[in-house]
Amino acid sequence: MFEVEIFLRFSEIADDARKRDVIQARGVSMTTLTWRDVVVKLLSNQAHLPLQRRVAYVGERIRWFFEKQKEPILNFMLSLEGTPAANMFSP
């Protein structure tokens, strides 16, 4: 799980925001548009697909981890049956 946290924490956008992109994101608006709105618009356009791929990768890693741990956990739980430690791990 630590690996997943590090992977997402250091993920970033590879593109640099160009002046043209900022001006186009600001656009012509009938309402007041803050710089926060501009940044959100730029990030949603540039970061959505890369982040979606990263989240899919993280989901696959988590799935792989639980698939690999299923057998050892089952063996461990079966080995506890009839022992004094069985009460510690029962649901």
Side-chain angles (χ1 to χ4, degrees), residues 1 13 18 25-27 29 37 42 44 49 70 74 82 89 91:
M1 296 307 279
I13 303 171
R18 292 180 294 271
R26 181 114 174 133
S29 176
D37 297 331
L42 284 172
S44 67
L49 286 177
K70 181 179 179 180
L74 286 174
F89 297 102

Side-chain angles (χ1 to χ4, degrees), residues 6-7 9 12 19 35-36 41 43 46-48 50 53-54 58 60 68 71 73 78 81 89:
I6 296 297
F7 181 77
R9 184 171 289 186
E12 61 184 42
K19 182 178 179 180
W35 283 111
R36 185 177 197 280
K41 189 184 291 187
L43 288 177
Q46 294 178 358
H48 184 71
R53 285 193 304 267
R54 290 179 183 111
V58 167
E60 287 298 315
K68 295 298 178 186
E71 190 68 30
I73 290 172
L78 290 173
E81 197 169 332
F89 297 102

Side-chain angles (χ1 to χ4, degrees), residues 5 13 28 32-33 41 65 84 88 91:
E5 179 185 352
I13 303 171
V28 177
T32 58
L33 192 66
K41 189 184 291 187
F65 171 78
M88 291 175 39

